[in-house]
Amino acid sequence: MTMIHQEIHAIQQQLAIFFYCLALALVCVIAVPVLSSIKVRHIRVEGAMYYTEQDIISLTEISIGDELLKHDMQDIEARLTEKCPYLLSVRVRREGAGLSIVLTESTPRWALMLPDGRVALVDGERYIGEVCEQSQAPEGLCTLYMSLPMLPSEQNDEVLLPQIAQAGQYIKGTSPALTSR
């Protein structure tokens, strides 16, 4: 191969790379506005029993017509997990021009009676995060009574809730008859 042929070949390779980069840049310039303009057309919620579909959708802070790509799916999952104590897991995914939210909810199995007359709800593994009046607890739960100190009301929850969580772990680990229910 002569020197001229080598130079022509090198120039052809450089031109090919240049046009490839130019084409890629054009695709990006065209695609970014198109992708960022995709609007949310639907939000599908699966597995909601305790919470309503509308409760979950409103907590996502996403509305029909919002830009789909401006929302971080992990942030939505974290927000739902934080705000909804009955949720064991949340999976949020983009599906076409919409969102899919798949929930796994916890089921209360025990009501731990607190010294002030309220009950804390515990599933098979953990404190669910809800303390309510005994009359508001779901029916059919096994009620457990804990011997805990009575504190001024403003201190009750911050002292009792960690003990409730610990009791839930204790019950799970030591009482097969209760955990099989």
Side-chain angles (χ1 to χ4, degrees):
M1 210 186 219
T2 66
M3 185 72 124
I4 294 175
H5 285 91
Q6 288 177 346
E7 288 180 26
I8 292 173
H9 185 68
I11 291 171
Q12 287 175 336
Q13 285 181 331
Q14 290 173 349
L15 283 173
I17 291 171
F18 171 77
F19 284 116
Y20 175 77
C21 291
L22 183 63
L24 185 61
L26 284 173
V27 167
C28 289
V29 167
I30 293 169
V32 168
V34 169
L35 289 176
S36 66
S37 68
I38 295 175
K39 306 290 185 199
V40 175
R41 291 189 184 161
H42 66 275
I43 301 173
R44 183 175 53 88
V45 178
E46 287 180 36
M49 295 183 315
Y50 182 81
Y51 301 102
T52 67
E53 186 174 313
Q54 193 53 44
D55 289 339
I56 297 300
I57 291 171
S58 67
L59 287 171
T60 66
E61 299 176 4
I62 297 177
S63 300
I64 302 298
D66 284 358
E67 290 181 13
L68 183 62
L69 296 180
K70 81 174 189 179
H71 298 281
D72 184 308
M73 300 301 107
Q74 290 177 332
D75 287 348
I76 296 169
E77 290 172 354
R79 187 177 323 115
L80 288 171
T81 301
E82 177 186 331
K83 301 280 186 184
C84 302
Y86 275 88
L87 294 181
L88 286 174
S89 68
V90 180
R91 192 178 76 231
V92 180
R93 300 286 179 258
R94 291 181 184 96
E95 280 187 353
L99 288 179
S100 167
I101 303 170
V102 179
L103 310 173
T104 302
E105 292 186 349
S106 180
T107 302
R109 295 172 71 181
W110 301 293
L112 298 175
M113 182 63 72
L114 303 177
D116 62 3
R118 298 179 303 156
V119 294
L121 302 179
V122 178
D123 69 7
E125 300 178 21
R126 66 188 176 89
Y127 164 62
I128 291 178
E130 183 170 353
V131 175
C132 60
E133 299 300 320
Q134 185 175 9
S135 62
Q136 296 172 330
E139 292 184 25
L141 299 180
C142 179
T143 302
L144 304 172
Y145 295 84
M146 297 177 66
S147 177
L148 296 171
M150 187 63 174
L151 302 167
S153 61
E154 65 274 358
Q155 294 177 4
N156 264 349
D157 288 348
E158 66 187 54
V159 172
L160 293 178
L161 296 182
Q163 292 177 345
I164 293 166
Q166 190 175 27
Q169 288 296 320
Y170 174 78
I171 293 165
K172 178 187 177 214
T174 60
S175 301
L178 292 175
T179 58
S180 64
R181 184 173 176 204

